[in-house]
Amino acid sequence: MTIDATDRKILAALQSDAALSLADLGKQVGLSTTPCWRRIQRLEQEGYIRKRVVLLDRARLNVDVTVFVAVRTSNHSAEWLEKFRNVVAGIPEVVDLYRLSGEIDYLLRVVIPDIKAYDAFYRKLIERIELQDVSSMFAMEEMKSTTEIPLSYAVSS
């Protein structure tokens, strides 16, 4: 499974605007609609495109505070990890969860409206699973945030 330059153009265009009409997308990448549609179908079937989503305005939806929550645990069993994963999956304020190397075990990105909401999130988290240490870092300014990934590393055919 490799992609070519035209596939990269399709992926770049869809990352920028997934609502593009098939005709407009085809024009951008130099294909008629049917071959363009077939390529999109193949890219989806091969897993290059996981899903198409709409990005919402967090400020308009009153969740414009971003908190990075660093979690350390003394329990590293598979059972604990599965429980932690399930607990976090059930908390909608958590939009990203990463398992890390180093001194911090997990990093969560949480979106909330204010400190009171963060306190409610924190209480919910610690009620559902035992943690060794939790520290929070409130983002003061979002300087770059994108869902677009670099395509220059994709394997070419």
Side-chain angles (χ1 to χ4, degrees), residues 71 73-89 97-100 105-107 129-131:
V71 171
T73 181
S74 57
N75 188 340
H76 296 278
S77 70
E79 295 81 18
W80 184 92
L81 174 58
E82 189 61 27
K83 180 178 180 184
F84 181 64
R85 189 186 317 258
N86 290 333
V87 164
V88 170
L97 168 62
Y98 298 94
R99 187 168 53 92
L100 306 176
D105 296 309
Y106 302 93
L107 184 66
I129 193 158
E130 186 177 332
L131 304 170

Side-chain angles (χ1 to χ4, degrees), residues 8-20 25 28-29 151:
R8 269 198 202 83
K9 288 178 185 175
I10 291 170
L11 293 173
L14 289 175
Q15 279 194 117
S16 179
D17 184 1
L20 278 173
L25 178 59
Q28 278 190 29
V29 303
L151 297 173

Side-chain angles (χ1 to χ4, degrees), residues 82-144:
E82 189 61 27
K83 180 178 180 184
F84 181 64
R85 189 186 317 258
N86 290 333
V87 164
V88 170
I91 302 175
E93 293 86 353
V94 179
V95 293
D96 288 308
L97 168 62
Y98 298 94
R99 187 168 53 92
L100 306 176
S101 63
E103 293 191 29
I104 302 299
D105 296 309
Y106 302 93
L107 184 66
L108 293 71
R109 184 170 65 94
V110 176
V111 294
I112 50 166
D114 53 32
I115 296 284
K116 185 176 179 180
Y118 176 74
D119 186 51
F121 156 79
Y122 174 80
R123 290 173 186 271
K124 192 183 320 180
L125 180 65
I126 64 170
E127 285 171 2
R128 295 180 182 180
I129 193 158
E130 186 177 332
L131 304 170
Q132 178 181 337
D133 183 52
V134 178
S135 62
S136 306
M137 296 151 281
F138 284 75
M140 302 299 292
E141 177 183 8
E142 184 176 281
M143 298 174 72
K144 180 181 179 181

